[in-house]
Each structure stands twice: as structure tokens, then as C-alpha cells.
Amino acid sequence: MKISLIAHDKKKDDMVQFTIAYKHILEKHDLFATGTTGLRIQEATGLKIHRFQSGPLGGDQEIGALVAKNEMDAVFFFRDPLTAQPHEPDVSALIRLCDVYAIPLATNMGTAEILVKGLERGDFTWRNIIHEKN
């Protein structure tokens, strides 16, 4: 599966802790991330991650483009709902695209843990059917 990892500045530590905790699951998949988040995860875990631009510089849109082409299977986006983001329209667009294309999206640690456990169980195999159609 292709999985994106994104975190706002105040949530980056949470994302790093999440990827450390679930490295044994995530390492079996193709990982993508926005710039700084991806770098922090790589440094902490050694996971191989394709890094895009940072979110404010277009990284959210790069991931959104993959979602729109059905080339992303899940998005883990730890958002900071209490801080205004200069690229909020990009954030909203990415979330909307996940809804349009039925891409599983976790925006907080609680939902992320449920999704990653589902990933471990094989609950995402329905995505293979979509890949076969394309």
C-alpha cells in the first residue's frame, strides 16, 4: 500500500512517536511524506520515505494529486486544529479529495491507531481491486 504521512508543526512529535511505535507495520509499505515531517520520521526510524515539498510549499497538493489519480491508499495527517495554517485551503482540498476518492484518512492519533491496526490485519486489500481496475 502507498501511505502518506503529514503533520502540522505542533503535531510532528506525535507523528514521529506514532511511526516509531508502528514501524514494524509501516516498513512493509511505500511511504510518502511532506518535507520536514518525512525528514523527522527518517531520522527517528530509518524508514525509507519519498519526501515531497513541505506542506506550505505545495507538499499537500503533491499528495492530493496522487489521491486524485487513485495512487494513494491511505493518508495519516496529524492536523493542529488550534493553530491557523497559512496553507489551509490546501489542507481542506486534500481532505476533500480523500473523501471524494474514499481514501482512508486519519487526522489524529486515535484514528491513526485504528487505521494502522486495520492495515496490519489486511483490511485495506479492497484497495487492490481499485488498482486492478486502473
Side-chain angles (χ1 to χ4, degrees):
M1 298 282 119
K2 294 181 179 180
I3 300 168
S4 288
L5 304 165
I6 309 164
H8 284 151
D9 289 346
K10 291 184 179 178
K11 298 294 181 175
K12 288 189 190 323
D13 289 341
D14 289 346
M15 179 61 79
V16 169
Q17 293 304 312
F18 175 79
T19 56
I20 290 169
Y22 294 106
K23 177 182 175 181
H24 66 285
I25 298 170
L26 296 171
E27 68 189 358
K28 299 173 186 171
H29 301 278
D30 296 325
L31 304 177
F32 300 80
T34 49
T36 308
T37 301
L39 181 61
R40 296 261 322 262
I41 293 167
Q42 282 178 324
E43 290 173 346
T45 65
L47 288 167
K48 181 181 173 192
I49 299 175
H50 175 86
R51 291 174 48 220
F52 292 109
Q53 296 291 328
S54 68
L57 298 178
D60 299 336
Q61 290 181 332
E62 289 178 293
I63 291 171
L66 292 176
V67 170
K69 293 190 286 185
N70 245 323
E71 294 178 9
M72 191 60 59
D73 297 301
V75 176
F76 292 80
F77 189 167
F78 288 9
R79 298 177 61 223
D80 176 7
L82 301 177
T83 304
Q85 302 297 326
H87 61 297
E88 190 61 38
D90 298 340
V91 172
S92 296
L94 176 57
I95 291 169
R96 186 172 40 257
L97 284 169
C98 287
D99 287 342
V100 167
Y101 291 95
I103 303 302
L105 167 68
T107 59
N108 60 65
M109 183 77 74
T111 307
E113 288 185 335
I114 291 168
L115 280 185
V116 79
K117 289 294 192 173
L119 189 63
E120 182 179 38
R121 282 191 310 267
D123 295 352
F124 287 60
T125 55
W126 62 272
R127 292 286 305 156
N128 292 330
I129 296 166
I130 292 173
H131 292 300
E132 291 169 5
K133 283 184 173 181
N134 293 336

